Amino acid sequence: MSNDNITLSIGEARLSGWTRLRVTRGIERFPGDFELEMTELFPGQAQDVVASPGDKCVLQIGGESVITGYVDRVVPSISAESHDIRVTGRGKCQDLLDCAAVWPNGQMSNVNAYTMAKQLAAVYDIDVICDLEGLLMIPQINIIPGESTYEVVERTARYSALLVYEDRSGNMVLARAGTEVMASGVQEGINIEAATAERSMDQRFSHVTALLTGTNNMQDLTSITAPHFTATDPNVPRRRERVIFAEAGELGWEVGKQRALWEVAWRRGRAEVIHVTVDNWRDVEGNLWEPNKLIDVLIPSLKVSGDQAGTVPQRLMIAEVSYSLDESGTHAQLTLMPPEAFEPKPILLYPQYGDLVGTVPLR
């Protein structure tokens, strides 16, 4: 890791010499954030750190940007043994999370998740990246007073099965579950320092029922004859019911199915979460571990494999990655989940009128 120098750029200044680092990014963590710490190696070193809360900054590892955003806090401290300084910050998208969504009259018409997000994010001078076409058009969106831009986008993106996260450049990204595979994986006895398999049932339900809350049911006869949709999880061993509201609006009732199927898939994916700590920030080709990419995992001792014999790797999604540096060296903590947690089944949507059905694939 001799080439993975850590630098924090603020204006023309490039600050290095950090003794502790934590950078965390994820496809369900919005925005990315970092924490840096320096202990003086010689008198006055910590005072050379020119950083103030609110400064624009770019954090780089080995010359690659990992966070583009702002300094949140600067915390100098002293004791009899040392002088320290700690700097924390988050990506540019923090303004979309912290601040209220701003739009005239609080109502948007004839938009999809991307066009809506782009207009709302532009208020805070943030770009939105989305390379998908044919997203579901939404006749009307009402912004709840005090609701943040992220909250508006996230609840709307559910109906197009989109993930909402921040990239290294501080842009908001709308994307589906990734299909790109890292050049190497993680394997017991090779590069895994520690691992935990978290399997649970307490947040899963045998049946998730979505109730319609549309305002023009006469355009959709199904919403009158069957005003709900129930998605099932066959791997829940006993009866456990959950009811949610599907804010389908004028889209037609079938769009509520996607909300229920997403809920089941979301909970199923989080019922098997693998946490691993590896000894390197990069794969064998030198790529930093990246959220929304697939990785092959083989941990026979924890029954994490693609076969019962424990010889074939299981392909999982990197949901979150933390790069860390401390007295024990460099480490990467990866949170891994099944790809299905982010990829609901294709469903039927009503393009405009509830009784005109067309298949809309998720890919």
Side-chain angles (χ1 to χ4, degrees):
M1 285 268 182
S2 57
N3 295 327
D4 276 338
N5 297 321
I6 302 164
T7 59
L8 182 68
S9 298
I10 299 176
E12 298 297 324
R14 290 172 59 86
L15 310 177
S16 58
W18 304 100
T19 53
R20 298 179 69 91
L21 162 76
R22 181 199 54 79
V23 182
T24 305
R25 298 178 54 239
I27 51 180
E28 292 187 320
R29 189 184 186 95
F30 189 91
D33 65 287
F34 69 87
E35 182 173 350
L36 294 166
E37 189 172 327
M38 178 187 294
T39 299
E40 283 188 338
L41 300 179
F42 53 85
Q45 183 185 19
Q47 279 69 30
D48 292 338
V49 176
V50 182
S52 300
D55 283 347
K56 291 183 178 180
C57 66
V58 178
L59 179 62
Q60 293 184 319
I61 294 178
E64 295 184 53
S65 299
V66 289
I67 296 285
T68 302
Y70 302 97
V71 173
D72 281 340
R73 301 184 183 188
V74 179
V75 186
S77 61
I78 60 172
S79 67
E81 292 79 21
S82 66
H83 291 184
D84 303 317
I85 187 167
R86 182 166 56 90
V87 178
T88 66
R90 293 176 293 165
K92 290 170 58 179
C93 285
Q94 62 174 276
D95 291 342
L96 304 184
L97 178 69
D98 300 341
C99 306
V102 178
W103 193 255
N105 302 321
Q107 188 175 91
M108 306 182 78
S109 301
N110 298 318
V111 293
N112 58 36
Y114 171 59
T115 57
M116 178 202 63
K118 193 171 182 65
Q119 293 177 73
L120 292 178
V123 174
Y124 293 104
D125 196 27
I126 294 173
D127 291 329
V128 179
I129 306 298
C130 181
D131 58 4
L132 300 170
E133 298 180 354
L135 296 178
L136 183 69
M137 293 301 297
I138 304 170
Q140 180 177 304
I141 296 174
N142 294 317
I143 299 173
I144 302 171
E147 196 173 24
S148 71
T149 298
Y150 172 73
E151 290 172 326
V152 178
V153 174
E154 194 276 333
R155 67 177 166 88
T156 306
R158 295 174 192 168
Y159 294 103
S160 294
L162 294 173
L163 303 170
V164 183
Y165 60 96
E166 184 186 56
D167 67 11
R168 299 183 187 184
S169 300
N171 304 311
M172 172 184 273
V173 177
L174 305 181
R176 297 253 165 83
T179 58
E180 185 178 349
V181 183
M182 300 293 298
S184 61
V186 295
Q187 184 173 343
E188 183 178 355
I190 302 297
N191 60 346
I192 292 180
E193 297 180 324
T196 302
E198 182 180 342
R199 300 182 177 96
S200 61
M201 186 61 68
D202 58 310
Q203 295 300 311
R204 296 177 69 174
F205 298 89
S206 60
H207 299 85
V208 174
T209 299
L211 299 182
L212 175 66
T213 59
T215 58
N216 193 351
N217 293 346
M218 293 307 295
Q219 283 191 347
D220 185 354
L221 299 181
T222 306
S223 66
I224 299 175
T225 59
H228 65 272
F229 173 79
T230 300
T232 61
D233 186 342
N235 293 316
V236 176
R238 65 185 186 276
R239 181 173 180 176
R240 285 171 55 81
E241 302 273 352
R242 184 174 180 84
V243 176
I244 61 174
F245 289 98
E247 306 89 348
E250 304 300 326
L251 295 175
W253 171 229
E254 285 284 337
V255 75
K257 288 185 177 181
Q258 186 159 348
R259 179 68 177 87
L261 292 169
W262 176 278
E263 185 83 10
V264 170
W266 187 87
R267 293 178 179 277
R268 183 172 63 243
R270 283 145 192 78
E272 184 176 356
V273 182
I274 310 300
H275 303 277
V276 300
T277 300
V278 296
D279 57 5
N280 204 305
W281 291 338
R282 301 176 183 270
D283 65 15
V284 294
E285 292 187 355
N287 304 305
L288 289 167
W289 302 117
E290 186 75 14
N292 203 23
K293 290 190 177 180
L294 298 171
I295 185 174
D296 290 332
V297 184
L298 183 60
I299 316 175
S301 297
L302 299 181
K303 298 181 180 180
V304 180
S305 63
D307 64 344
Q308 293 184 349
T311 59
V312 177
Q314 180 181 2
R315 185 156 289 179
L316 298 176
M317 179 74 72
I318 300 178
E320 184 173 286
V321 58
S322 289
Y323 314 106
S324 64
L325 168 69
D326 55 24
E327 296 82 358
S328 64
T330 55
H331 313 275
Q333 291 79 33
L334 307 178
T335 299
L336 311 172
M337 299 183 191
E340 306 83 64
F342 310 101
E343 193 173 15
K345 299 176 183 178
I347 62 169
L348 297 175
L349 300 180
Y350 292 143
Q352 181 175 6
Y353 298 104
D355 297 314
L356 302 177
V357 181
T359 300
V360 181
L362 291 181
R363 289 194 176 279

